[in-house]
Amino acid sequence: MRLHVAQHPLITHKLTVLRDKNTPSSVFRSLATELVTLLAYEATRDVRVEPVDIETPVTTTTGVMLSQPRPLVVPILRAGLGMLDGMVALLPSAEVGFLGMVRDEETLQPSTYAERLPENLTGRQCFVLDPMLATGGSLIAAIDFLFKRGATDVTCVCLLGAPEGVAAVEAAGTGKNVTLVLGALDERLNEHGYIVPGLGDAGDRLYGIV
């Protein structure tokens, strides 16, 4: 597994505002979109391209275009939806699928309650969006789901991660082509499986408590 933790003052600044419990949902959503767009630059560093000949107003030249099949962006519901606009702002030609996953608050284990993905992901680069990498359970389940459908290249984008979650994803991803891109790597998990210092429940911060 390849791990990239962003080191940029703008990302740190925006994360600081996200962490503040007094930041309202409207500002939280806007900043989350901006942050994901910044993180997407790193996440798409190895996106597949192919050469193409074009004609400029001056001459002909060779550039690159995204290869087929197009990349697939997969937000994990519901909190991952808050990251979708920021990702497709950078990859507007990507297709979008969805995975609905919920964590049992007693066992901390995830289960899948909904999915909208192609049956065959052979040759597809997949970008998974999940704001918080805590225990790693949901992300591991999502990665396994995609690889079982034929994916061979999965990049996960998270606003925050905990060392325990990173270690779990790394252990579960042995032999798989997985990249993990984080806005920040926090200190630890608390006894309830929440990231410390973290920013609370990302879904509730984005959309309110339902």
Side-chain angles (χ1 to χ4, degrees):
M1 184 189 79
R2 295 172 299 280
L3 172 65
H4 176 80
V5 181
Q7 301 290 334
H8 194 289
L10 283 179
I11 291 176
T12 304
H13 163 75
K14 294 177 189 298
L15 278 174
T16 299
V17 181
L18 283 188
R19 293 181 191 275
D20 190 336
K21 67 178 184 180
N22 296 313
T23 297
S25 290
S26 58
V27 176
F28 194 100
R29 287 193 294 270
S30 177
L31 283 174
T33 296
E34 295 173 13
L35 269 168
V36 174
T37 300
L38 292 172
L39 293 174
Y41 279 102
E42 186 60 37
T44 56
R45 181 177 295 275
D46 295 319
V47 69
R48 293 178 193 144
V49 294
E50 57 190 33
V52 60
D53 294 328
I54 62 168
E55 186 174 346
T56 78
V58 179
T59 186
T60 56
T61 188
T62 300
V64 297
M65 300 282 286
L66 291 181
S67 299
Q68 295 289 340
R70 290 179 289 172
L72 180 69
V73 178
V74 185
I76 297 180
L77 304 178
R78 70 177 167 145
L81 282 177
M83 303 172 68
L84 181 58
D85 287 348
M87 191 71 186
V88 297
L90 198 69
L91 277 177
S93 64
E95 294 183 349
V96 178
F98 298 94
L99 269 178
M101 310 193 81
V102 63
R103 185 178 76 164
D104 186 299
E105 295 303 324
E106 295 295 328
T107 66
L108 304 183
Q109 295 302 306
S111 60
T112 302
Y113 64 85
E115 64 92 1
R116 184 77 173 186
L117 295 167
E119 288 297 326
N120 186 356
L121 295 176
T122 301
R124 300 292 291 267
Q125 283 186 296
C126 299
F127 295 88
V128 179
L129 309 179
D130 196 9
M132 314 296 285
L133 172 53
T135 62
S138 295
L139 207 56
I140 291 168
I143 292 168
D144 287 345
F145 195 102
L146 295 174
F147 274 96
K148 286 177 181 177
R149 292 238 171 147
T152 56
D153 185 344
V154 175
T155 296
C156 306
V157 182
C158 306
L159 300 181
L160 295 179
E164 296 92 332
V166 171
V169 172
E170 184 172 22
T174 301
K176 298 184 176 78
N177 186 10
V178 175
T179 301
L180 183 58
V181 178
L182 304 179
L185 182 60
D186 277 12
E187 297 173 9
R188 58 182 175 85
L189 295 179
N190 65 15
E191 63 275 14
H192 303 294
Y194 280 88
I195 299 174
V196 178
L199 50 77
D201 186 294
D204 291 346
R205 298 289 307 274
L206 283 162
Y207 304 118
I209 299 173
V210 295

